[in-house]
Amino acid sequence: MGSSLAGEMPPEAFLRPSPVHRIASHSAAPSRMPRFSARQSASSKFSADAMAVAGAMALGVTGGFQASRRSCRTRELRARIARAMSPMSPGDYGLPPKLAGMAGALSALPNDRMRYQQLMALAGKLKPMADDLKVPENKVPGCLSVVHVHASLEEDGTVTFQGDSDALISKGLVALLVLCLSGCTPEEIAGVQPEFIKASGISASLTPGRNNGFFNMFKLMNKKVARLKAAKAAESGESGAMKAGEDTETEETPELQIYNTLSRSKEAFKTLEPGKVKMYVCGVTVYDLCHLGHARVMVFFDIVARFLRHLGYDVTFVRNVTDIDDKIIKRSQETGETAEELARRMEEEMARDAKSLGCTSPDFEPRVSESIEEITSMVETLVKKDFAYAGKGDVYFRVRRFETYGRLSRCSLDGNEAGARVEVADVKEAPEDFVLWKSAKPSEPSWESPWGPGRPGWHIECSAMAKRYLGDTLDIHGGGPDLVFPHHENEIAQSEAANDQPYVKTWMHCAAVRSTGNEKMSKSLGNFVTIRDVLKQYDGEVVRFYLLSSQYRRPMMYSEEALEEAQERLLKLYSSLRGAAGAQTESPDPECEQQHRFLAAMANDTNLLNRPTDHMRKRIAKAA
């Protein structure tokens, strides 16, 4: 059935042997085929005979087929045997010999349950994947479980894959592609048509979620191979080679445009490194349950990360957790907990809310309390470069020394105080200077530093954590609208002063959710509605749909009527899809007009809604 990974394991050896397989292998002794008593049902005889046929097919023993065929007593079984004796061959769906043999063997199995079992058996054939290869760029997006795949180009021009998963059935799917595509050339792999998955019967034995993950894995493996081929071509100087990081479908995908808060305009999205996106989003200060304003930011940037990965980018998504802050300390004193106990409890509640809204976890969620070394190191650098100064155990940033301060928010320093969020001592050189390090107060959490015991200021934490996980310059930095000034403005100042590099290429800000009276929903204003309260009345998918029902840069008006409308529209959508042809397919048809329209809308600054609903128009007009 074709060459194997190491020249010694044919495709049939991947399948788990069974007593039926062994019976079917005795082609010279048809009398050993299983016999049934009159008490056994016809279905039992059919099942056993079909399993024997499938086993013989998997082992490549044609004599067993003939023996089983002679024992057949139903037309349906004969039809299955005929299909089994005409398995997929090299060339069908562009399959290389090894994958054709395995797909044909799976196709010959009589039912989905057996295919499922054999996929799980395949998992045991997969060699362990090194931990240092389980990095974000090797992670398969859209999987129910954690799946990693890695590709390397050998000297003989063939590709070797490695992979792993934390779930047994997903590991079997990884093994199917890794074992059968390793040893193939990039051209052979590029020629494989994904339709073979459905033709082999694999998709029928899986849930829709695992089907999506399987297709995404196949797609990622192809992209990795294309990049390896392009890199090899670049090294050899071949003309016309595709650049590393480009997708073969780039010409068909509309150019991605993102509104950049810095320029106040839509810009063509270009990454620092081809094919890779480094994205940082400011997280929540965990002292209370999250409200709908937090939910909108969570859901929107979850959509951004998902779409970028759909386009083929390797996205590293970092969202911090502020677990030490004046508000946390104050609330912990009210509840009788330590600041750490309160922060951990609220962090768990935040994760629970995010999961209820269908959000995937970021690749990294660093805590401020676990990033003290990086924070103090950056503050030390700023002091040495004279961008910061110490006084009475506190350290402040000299705002006016950073000449381009204010370019993001377009705010003048006159009348604005960059450090106005927190109370600071009277040792500041200027009112606009903001605190980088705060000296310890009695009964407050603190850490040692060159300036004495203390804790970080609000702004420095994000600069330090972004540098730790993503480097000096980010592709995308996101957050809520209230963070533009002073938080993000101060981040730019301290990061660029410390690193001597541009801090962010593209700034994205998701507008607020407004409550009754057209006020921004905020914990500090006490006018917020928690995610938990809304989830008591509506399903998480309804809330997610509601939060995506308005263009992300437009403020949303919260109301019960808007949530009811979102629920009705979502139910109508599902009702329309019920029974529709192709509604349950594993991946969208690339030639589908709706698919092109969807990609074009998403590429246009994630335009999820071309126009507001009638209800939203009335709400906006009333608020105005």
Side-chain angles (χ1 to χ4, degrees):
M1 283 199 177
S3 59
S4 67
L5 176 62
E8 60 185 10
M9 185 182 291
E12 59 267 20
F14 296 150
L15 294 178
R16 176 169 53 190
S18 69
V20 177
H21 291 170
R22 291 195 290 272
I23 291 171
S25 68
H26 291 283
S27 58
S31 61
R32 296 190 183 184
M33 294 300 294
R35 297 184 180 276
F36 301 88
S37 68
R39 295 180 181 179
Q40 290 176 295
S41 67
S43 61
S44 296
K45 290 185 285 186
F46 172 81
S47 176
D49 271 352
M51 290 175 68
V53 172
M57 172 59 205
L59 294 170
V61 183
T62 57
F65 272 109
Q66 299 301 328
S68 180
R69 191 168 188 174
R70 286 193 294 271
S71 69
C72 293
R73 299 180 182 179
T74 67
R75 292 181 180 179
E76 186 176 356
L77 181 54
R78 291 190 184 100
R80 289 197 176 187
I81 292 176
R83 290 196 302 270
M85 294 185 71
S86 301
M88 294 183 186
S89 61
D92 290 349
Y93 302 100
L95 302 182
K98 197 188 311 180
L99 187 55
M102 178 57 64
L106 288 170
S107 177
L109 294 174
N111 55 57
D112 296 337
R113 182 172 177 272
M114 288 190 67
R115 294 188 187 94
Y116 195 90
Q117 290 173 339
Q118 299 301 348
L119 285 172
M120 290 192 290
L122 275 176
K125 306 291 184 180
L126 195 64
K127 293 182 179 180
M129 186 180 190
D131 289 338
D132 59 355
L133 295 180
K134 296 178 181 180
V135 293
E137 55 264 32
N138 289 336
K139 186 178 179 182
V140 179
C143 291
L144 295 178
S145 50
V146 179
V147 179
H148 291 90
V149 290
H150 177 265
S152 57
L153 192 62
E154 305 299 332
E155 293 183 0
D156 62 357
T158 61
V159 178
T160 297
F161 288 104
Q162 297 183 59
D164 199 5
S165 174
D166 62 351
L168 184 59
I169 183 61
S170 295
K171 195 170 184 177
L173 295 171
V174 174
L176 175 65
L177 293 182
V178 166
L179 296 175
C180 292
L181 291 179
S182 289
C184 297
T185 65
E187 291 75 18
E188 288 176 321
I189 295 170
V192 176
Q193 301 169 27
E195 289 78 11
F196 89 88
I197 299 172
K198 186 174 184 179
S200 66
I202 299 171
S203 61
S205 60
L206 303 174
T207 63
R210 295 208 185 277
N211 269 312
N212 287 334
F214 192 31
F215 275 86
N216 288 344
M217 176 171 60
F218 180 74
K219 185 176 180 181
L220 179 61
M221 292 171 76
N222 269 277
K223 289 178 179 178
K224 286 183 173 294
V225 171
R227 290 167 189 164
L228 289 172
K229 182 182 177 182
K232 184 70 174 179
E235 290 178 6
S236 60
E238 292 180 11
S239 61
M242 182 178 61
K243 295 181 180 179
E246 290 186 349
D247 189 353
T248 55
E249 300 176 359
T250 300
E251 294 181 0
E252 300 179 6
T253 303
E255 182 181 51
L256 180 57
Q257 298 276 331
I258 296 179
Y259 184 88
N260 190 347
T261 308
L262 183 64
S263 65
R264 302 295 195 275
S265 64
K266 292 181 186 178
E267 299 175 352
F269 181 63
K270 303 295 182 184
T271 58
L272 294 164
E273 300 178 55
K276 294 186 178 182
V277 176
K278 298 185 289 185
M279 183 169 78
Y280 185 97
V281 176
C282 287
V284 178
T285 301
V286 284
Y287 74 96
D288 204 343
L289 293 174
C290 295
H291 57 65
L292 282 181
H294 297 135
R296 192 181 192 193
V297 174
M298 289 178 187
V299 169
F300 173 69
F301 285 103
D302 179 61
I303 289 290
V304 172
R306 287 174 184 265
F307 184 59
L308 290 171
R309 285 169 176 148
H310 175 78
L311 294 180
Y313 289 101
D314 289 331
V315 180
T316 303
F317 179 14
V318 180
R319 186 181 66 206
N320 73 293
V321 176
T322 299
D323 63 344
I324 182 64
D325 180 86
D326 290 338
K327 295 177 181 178
I328 295 175
I329 295 171
K330 181 180 179 181
R331 180 62 57 84
S332 68
Q333 292 170 347
E334 295 171 356
T335 61
E337 302 169 277
T338 67
E340 182 179 7
E341 288 171 343
L342 173 66
R344 295 296 165 269
R345 181 166 62 86
M346 288 296 105
E347 186 179 346
E348 290 178 2
E349 297 298 334
M350 176 192 69
R352 177 182 165 190
D353 287 341
K355 185 176 181 180
S356 297
L357 296 173
C359 296
T360 55
S361 299
D363 297 297
F364 300 100
E365 292 187 276
R367 298 166 175 157
V368 175
S369 63
E370 297 172 356
S371 306
I372 300 300
E373 182 178 349
E374 290 78 14
I375 292 171
T376 55
S377 175
M378 180 171 281
V379 174
E380 282 188 277
T381 299
L382 291 169
V383 171
K384 290 177 182 177
K385 298 175 76 170
D386 204 31
F387 278 101
Y389 58 94
K392 296 184 179 180
D394 298 325
V395 182
Y396 303 97
F397 185 87
R398 286 190 175 94
V399 171
R400 291 188 182 271
R401 177 164 164 71
F402 188 74
E403 296 180 356
T404 58
Y405 189 89
R407 69 178 188 269
L408 176 67
S409 60
R410 301 189 180 182
C411 291
S412 169
L413 286 174
D414 298 330
N416 286 304
E417 295 184 7
R421 174 172 174 169
V422 293
E423 295 180 3
V424 292
D426 57 1
V427 297
K428 293 199 297 184
E429 295 178 352
E432 61 270 16
D433 293 351
F434 59 88
V435 66
L436 300 172
W437 185 263
K438 301 179 67 175
S439 59
K441 295 179 180 178
S443 73
E444 288 189 354
S446 63
W447 291 264
E448 290 299 325
S449 78
W451 315 281
R455 56 186 172 88
W458 175 36
H459 312 294
I460 192 66
E461 62 186 57
C462 288
S463 289
M465 288 186 282
K467 179 181 175 67
R468 175 184 178 183
Y469 289 95
L470 301 173
D472 293 342
T473 305
L474 319 180
D475 291 297
I476 296 175
H477 194 324
D482 55 331
L483 299 181
V484 176
F485 184 88
H487 185 52
H488 288 164
E489 194 71 71
N490 291 352
E491 277 191 63
I492 293 174
Q494 60 201 11
S495 292
E496 295 188 0
N499 303 327
D500 296 319
Q501 296 291 332
Y503 181 40
V504 175
K505 290 194 66 178
T506 302
W507 287 92
M508 299 183 73
H509 291 92
C510 182
V513 176
R514 296 191 173 275
S515 62
T516 304
N518 200 25
E519 289 183 324
K520 184 199 78 168
M521 194 172 287
S522 169
K523 291 179 182 177
S524 59
L525 295 176
N527 62 352
F528 63 93
V529 178
T530 67
I531 300 172
R532 195 66 50 82
D533 287 339
V534 177
L535 289 174
K536 291 177 182 177
Q537 303 180 60
Y538 301 95
D539 184 79
E541 190 174 12
V542 172
V543 181
R544 184 181 178 94
F545 192 73
Y546 157 70
L547 293 169
L548 295 173
S549 65
S550 178
Q551 210 280 340
Y552 78 94
R553 287 184 284 110
R554 295 176 182 170
M556 291 191 72
M557 302 297 297
Y558 169 75
S559 71
E560 290 286 337
E561 294 89 344
L563 278 164
E564 289 289 344
E565 180 181 335
Q567 181 169 259
E568 292 172 6
R569 291 173 62 206
L570 186 61
L571 289 172
K572 183 178 180 180
L573 174 62
Y574 278 126
S575 298
S576 301
L577 291 175
R578 186 181 295 120
Q584 300 298 325
T585 56
E586 295 83 357
S587 61
D589 181 359
E591 301 302 322
C592 176
E593 178 185 353
Q594 286 80 5
Q595 172 75 353
H596 286 297
R597 290 172 59 188
F598 170 75
L599 290 176
M602 287 293 292
N604 181 22
D605 194 32
T606 56
N607 183 14
L608 294 166
L609 190 71
N610 291 325
R611 61 183 180 83
T613 64
D614 292 337
H615 171 76
M616 290 303 295
R617 278 204 201 91
K618 293 176 183 177
R619 297 287 300 178
I620 293 170
K622 186 177 179 180

